[in-house]
Amino acid sequence: MSQDTLFDKVWDLHKVANLPGGSDQIFIGLHLIHEVTSPQAFGALKDKSLKVKYPQRTVATVDHIVPTDNQSRPFKDNLAEQMINTLEKNCIEHKIKFFNIGSGNQGIVHVVAPELGLTQPGMTIACGDSHTSTHGAFGSIAFGIGTSQVRDVLASQTIAMNKLKVRQIWCENKLSNGIYAKDLVLHIINQLGVKAGVGYAYEFAGPAISALSMEERMTICNMSIEGGARCGYINPDEKTFSYMKDKLCSPQNENWEKAVKWWKSLESSDNCIYDDVFKLDASKVEPTVTWGITPGQSIGINQKIPSLNDINPNDQFIAGEAYEYMGFKPGQSIKNTPIDVCFIGSCTNGRISDLRVAAEVLEHHKVAKNIKAFVVPGSEKVAKEAKEEGLDKIFIKAGFQWREPGCSMCLAMNSDKLIGNQVSASSSNRNFKGRQGSPSGRTLLMSPAMVAAASITGKVSDVRDFINK
Amino acid sequence: MSIKFKPPMGKFSRLSGKCISLVGDDIDTDRIIPARFLKCIDFDSLGKYVFDDDRKTLKGNHPFDLESNKRSSILIVNSNFGCGSSREHAPQALMRWGIKAIIGESFADIFYSNCIAIGIPCFTLPKESIKKIQKHLDIKNLFLEIDLFNSIAIAKDLKLNLEIKETTKKMFLSGEWDATSKLLENENLIEEKLNDLPYIRFNNNSF
């Protein structure tokens, strides 16, 4: 059993009680809610005549269903309008802070909370969304929960949960030029598999992780769940503190020093014990692209789609399904695969640094003929910053559509969807069957820089051919 | 679907029903309930949309459409069932279709806790045993009687030693799976914890 890791320290600190059944009652320091997984939870509170226990510990925004073209109200889609309306009403009734469209702080919940300084080291953070693991980039213990657990957090600020085991993922050396956090995390998931993380929290560490910016670290932790780990985290360091300094909700003045001192004490101790350690060499990672229907089915840009014989027997069934669904053959190159749609955005890669790197690739280029390309900033703040830097103009000039913030085609709950069996080059996190809104739509996951490169050529391309030659 | 849906309540130690097999690894919650059906403010109508895309693709040949699987309530699955999105809509849709328990090789974490939280016990069995049951189901029906206390499932000429987490088992036997009231019993401890956390003190000026 793990000992003295950051996970152990934060878990123990938040433990309220041993429940009679044997699980732990854990206090949730920050609860984030959005329109999709909260209405039934508020409904359940009403049915049980319960109140929100600590309304100031829950923060809301709207992201999944918002249209990214025309955001004027009422929304064209009645169901979407009903959902935002229900969230507005619930937040007013229960006195919960809500960052609505136009507030300047609306956006994808996992982009917004770090921007506001709500996300802090040492906190437990829960949200009815599996990508809550994103917040672990700050050294918080953050995980997705279902709607019944959202109800429990609203009612008691706690949940019943079994402690997770801890696996350290040690990333030696550094990523090469043109290789990004997205490539690294896709590589990790490929190496360990999509179920290895079940029952674990992942601690990402090593020189390659320390070298990443905070936004890149969020990309890594964000996709822990795609490796099966409900929670992923990185020990906080000076980069963490300098990112957080002077954010709206960060500790101020004399509290800042106190906070930093406490945050430093949370780091996994030198002699801590992990349940498992996995090591990899980050310098060997290539621009990585998925070819299948799970985020683990990926290859380097210059590799061929593996044949069944090259695949672990436990993963052969899903590989067979993937060949059929994707229409790809074993032995085929992923490079030069024609694409139809390019999507830059999502809680994985919709932050300002993602837009900067994509814009850099796109500058002085044009989107290929017949490609639909669009960029959806992760939040209103990201959009504002991008406009101040003129990034929107670079995207538009290249032939991208510039949209309003939201989750958009990552999961296609709004009108941004693939059509038929279109192939998308997507900076999002899931390539599941039907994920991007068409039951036969096909998703190739890659870094935003790689999406930008693909948009120029109209096919899967190596971004290294476009940068710093 | 004509009978009004009644959610499970309280303690339970036994359940029985007809099995339905769904073959496949890493079946994600987007497949169980596609995102377009998440545009709702209650779970009531989800049952009929379970596996909507997969069912449409198979044009009536999906296990959830087969006549022989009607009124089944014990779902037999393979590994990492329910991976991906945390949407509780997935187990809610399964439950509203008629599923009362799931037996599989393994489950994704969030899906598993969602099932427990709404009263669907999930059991595991080794890969080979699952395969055997699924093969059997290809040919004929299987009715299982599950005894939660002893973690066994019995059919006519079959006895399976089911695996279930000790904490999960206790939760169902005690009725504690419906956690809210149990959590609220520790109100004083929660308040103490709140006052004890360092960051609550140095963050007192949020917005």
Side-chain angles (χ1 to χ4, degrees):
Chain A
M1 219 168 58
S2 66
Q3 265 177 36
D4 241 10
T5 66
L6 178 141
F7 183 85
D8 291 283
K9 294 180 193 179
V10 176
W11 184 273
D12 293 346
L13 180 68
H14 289 83
K15 188 162 154 179
V16 173
N18 293 314
L19 292 167
S23 52
D24 291 346
Q25 182 172 4
I26 293 294
F27 188 91
I28 300 301
L30 173 65
H31 183 213
L32 303 167
I33 58 169
H34 58 82
E35 74 284 12
V36 177
T37 56
S38 69
Q40 296 89 343
F42 284 109
L45 282 192
K46 205 171 200 176
D47 292 345
K48 292 181 184 239
S49 310
L50 292 168
K51 291 188 304 190
V52 177
K53 191 165 175 63
Y54 300 116
Q56 71 279 17
R57 304 233 61 80
T58 294
V59 175
T61 191
V62 58
D63 51 11
H64 285 64
I65 53 95
V66 296
T68 58
D69 43 8
N70 177 2
Q71 295 193 328
S72 60
R73 299 279 301 276
F75 294 151
K76 259 190 258 164
D77 177 347
N78 290 336
L79 291 173
E81 177 61 29
Q82 183 191 29
M83 294 188 83
I84 188 171
N85 200 269
T86 305
L87 183 62
E88 287 169 334
K89 279 191 190 144
N90 283 328
C91 288
I92 291 170
E93 186 183 337
H94 297 280
K95 300 189 170 56
I96 290 168
K97 180 74 189 172
F98 176 39
F99 292 111
N100 205 342
I101 294 172
S103 65
N105 287 316
Q106 174 267 343
I108 307 174
V109 62
H110 311 307
V111 176
V112 165
E115 276 174 355
L116 289 168
L118 285 165
T119 301
Q120 294 176 14
M123 275 184 176
T124 44
I125 302 178
C127 173
D129 190 284
S130 63
H131 291 111
T132 307
S133 58
T134 311
H135 307 266
F138 292 80
S140 56
I141 295 306
F143 44 80
I145 55 178
T147 297
S148 294
Q149 288 186 312
V150 173
R151 172 202 65 202
D152 290 346
V153 180
L154 290 171
S156 73
Q157 205 59 40
T158 64
I159 57 167
M161 195 167 154
N162 291 320
K163 194 175 171 184
L164 299 167
K165 291 186 276 189
V166 185
R167 172 178 293 132
Q168 188 191 48
I169 298 177
W170 183 266
C171 304
E172 201 51 71
N173 296 320
K174 280 190 183 154
L175 294 174
S176 319
N177 195 25
I179 319 292
Y180 304 90
K182 180 62 155 290
D183 301 303
L184 176 58
V185 72
L186 284 172
H187 179 78
I188 292 170
I189 298 163
N190 173 265
Q191 293 295 299
L192 279 163
V194 292
K195 14 188 182 277
V198 173
Y200 281 90
Y202 278 177
E203 177 182 297
F204 299 99
I209 298 292
S210 302
L212 298 176
S213 70
M214 285 313 294
E215 298 199 343
E216 292 172 308
R217 293 178 189 185
M218 285 188 248
T219 301
I220 301 280
C221 291
N222 172 276
M223 288 191 70
S224 307
I225 184 66
E226 309 325 326
R230 195 171 185 175
C231 165
Y233 69 90
I234 293 168
N235 282 298
D237 60 11
E238 290 304 326
K239 278 187 190 169
T240 319
F241 310 143
S242 77
Y243 178 96
M244 292 181 60
K245 188 94 172 104
D246 300 324
K247 293 272 189 280
L248 182 66
C249 302
S250 290
Q252 309 291 329
N253 308 321
E254 73 278 7
N255 281 331
W256 174 257
E257 298 305 325
K258 282 188 215 161
V260 171
K261 196 174 161 212
W262 181 63
W263 293 338
K264 284 182 176 168
S265 75
L266 299 167
E267 201 182 340
S268 294
S269 309
D270 288 342
N271 51 359
C272 70
I273 301 171
Y274 298 99
D275 295 283
D276 189 35
V277 176
F278 177 80
K279 292 189 179 181
L280 64 91
D281 182 352
S283 67
K284 300 251 163 74
V285 178
E286 282 215 81
T288 303
V289 181
T290 61
W291 58 268
I293 54 172
T294 80
Q297 292 170 324
S298 68
I299 47 176
I301 182 76
N302 293 315
Q303 290 178 307
K304 307 245 186 283
I305 294 173
S307 67
L308 271 191
N309 293 335
D310 299 330
I311 291 170
N312 179 320
N314 286 331
D315 296 325
Q316 289 181 358
F317 187 90
I318 187 91
E321 249 183 292
Y323 300 140
E324 193 190 334
Y325 183 84
M326 298 300 288
F328 294 156
K329 288 191 180 64
Q332 191 178 329
S333 292
I334 197 71
K335 198 173 179 175
N336 294 331
T337 302
I339 50 155
D340 305 295
V341 178
C342 288
F343 170 60
I344 294 177
S346 86
C347 59
T348 311
N349 283 122
R351 297 185 178 80
I352 188 69
S353 56
D354 298 313
L355 270 49
R356 279 184 197 136
V357 78
E360 201 185 324
V361 174
L362 283 171
E363 200 159 20
H364 312 304
H365 289 286
K366 289 271 181 224
V367 169
K369 248 191 184 170
N370 302 325
I371 300 286
K372 174 185 172 180
F374 63 115
V375 53
V376 182
S379 70
E380 292 182 346
K381 259 206 170 73
V382 171
K384 183 167 176 271
E385 223 175 327
K387 282 181 183 165
E388 282 164 5
E389 295 177 21
L391 303 183
D392 58 330
K393 292 203 176 70
I394 297 175
F395 279 107
I396 293 165
K397 202 174 160 205
F400 266 74
Q401 298 174 32
W402 178 263
R403 299 290 190 83
E404 303 294 336
C407 298
S408 181
M409 206 179 72
C410 173
L411 86 166
M413 276 192 77
N414 64 0
S415 57
D416 305 327
K417 295 179 200 298
L418 293 181
I419 301 164
N421 70 350
Q422 277 183 329
V423 176
S424 80
S426 181
S427 76
S428 56
N429 43 55
R430 286 184 177 140
N431 51 341
F432 299 151
K433 284 180 173 180
R435 169 76 177 183
Q436 293 192 296
S438 162
S440 53
R442 297 172 286 173
T443 303
L444 309 184
L445 301 176
M446 58 189 83
S447 73
M450 285 285 284
V451 176
S455 75
I456 298 165
T457 57
K459 48 199 183 185
V460 176
S461 304
D462 190 335
V463 69
R464 290 172 299 190
D465 297 339
F466 291 84
I467 49 169
N468 310 331
K469 276 194 202 152
Chain B
M1 283 302 134
S2 55
I3 319 155
K4 182 153 168 42
F5 170 75
K6 268 195 247 145
M9 274 167 77
K11 306 176 185 187
F12 50 104
S13 55
R14 274 176 188 281
L15 53 99
S16 57
K18 191 165 92 172
C19 295
I20 169 172
S21 152
L22 183 72
V23 177
D25 296 320
D26 307 314
I27 292 181
D28 58 77
T29 52
D30 274 84
R31 279 174 74 181
I32 301 174
I33 188 85
R36 61 184 176 278
F37 300 112
L38 272 48
K39 276 193 263 179
C40 56
I41 54 168
D42 56 47
F43 293 125
D44 297 347
S45 62
L46 293 178
K48 56 180 177 289
Y49 301 120
V50 70
F51 294 110
D52 197 68
D53 285 349
D54 286 0
R55 286 163 76 178
K56 279 185 181 144
T57 308
L58 291 178
K59 298 187 173 84
N61 290 318
H62 189 277
F64 277 67
D65 285 322
L66 296 179
E67 193 60 34
S68 55
N69 283 330
K70 276 224 167 117
R71 284 175 294 282
S72 294
S73 59
I74 300 174
L75 178 62
I76 313 291
V77 296
N78 299 95
S79 75
N80 200 28
F81 187 72
C83 58
S85 157
S86 64
R87 58 188 73 167
E88 190 177 297
H89 305 67
Q92 290 279 1
L94 288 168
M95 185 165 80
R96 279 153 214 274
W97 185 88
I99 299 301
K100 294 195 172 101
I102 312 180
I103 303 176
E105 199 184 320
S106 65
F107 299 92
D109 272 343
I110 305 178
F111 178 83
Y112 183 89
S113 39
N114 284 341
C115 283
I116 305 314
I118 65 173
I120 303 177
C122 298
F123 304 90
T124 55
L125 277 176
K127 193 186 185 77
E128 289 315 311
S129 315
I130 294 285
K131 272 195 176 157
K132 234 188 239 170
I133 301 174
Q134 288 179 327
K135 269 201 182 132
H136 175 103
L137 282 166
D138 283 345
I139 312 162
K140 51 184 178 182
N141 286 337
L142 177 67
F143 289 86
L144 281 181
E145 175 111 17
I146 299 177
D147 169 353
L148 198 59
F149 185 79
N150 294 306
S151 308
I152 48 170
I154 298 170
K156 239 190 236 157
D157 359 277
L158 181 75
K159 187 180 154 198
L160 299 163
N161 290 308
L162 302 173
E163 285 154 44
I164 183 164
K165 282 183 199 164
E166 205 48 36
T167 48
T168 308
K169 183 165 141 179
K170 279 189 188 161
M171 279 177 152
F172 282 107
L173 292 172
S174 65
E176 206 192 290
W177 58 272
D178 195 358
T180 324
S181 54
K182 203 79 212 162
L183 295 171
L184 281 169
E185 276 175 22
N186 292 329
E187 212 160 4
N188 294 339
L189 293 174
I190 299 171
E191 189 72 24
E192 253 172 53
K193 184 53 79 183
L194 175 82
N195 295 323
D196 220 28
L197 288 167
Y199 58 83
I200 304 286
R201 289 197 298 275
F202 52 62
N203 275 338
N204 51 10
N205 52 355
S206 302
F207 359 93

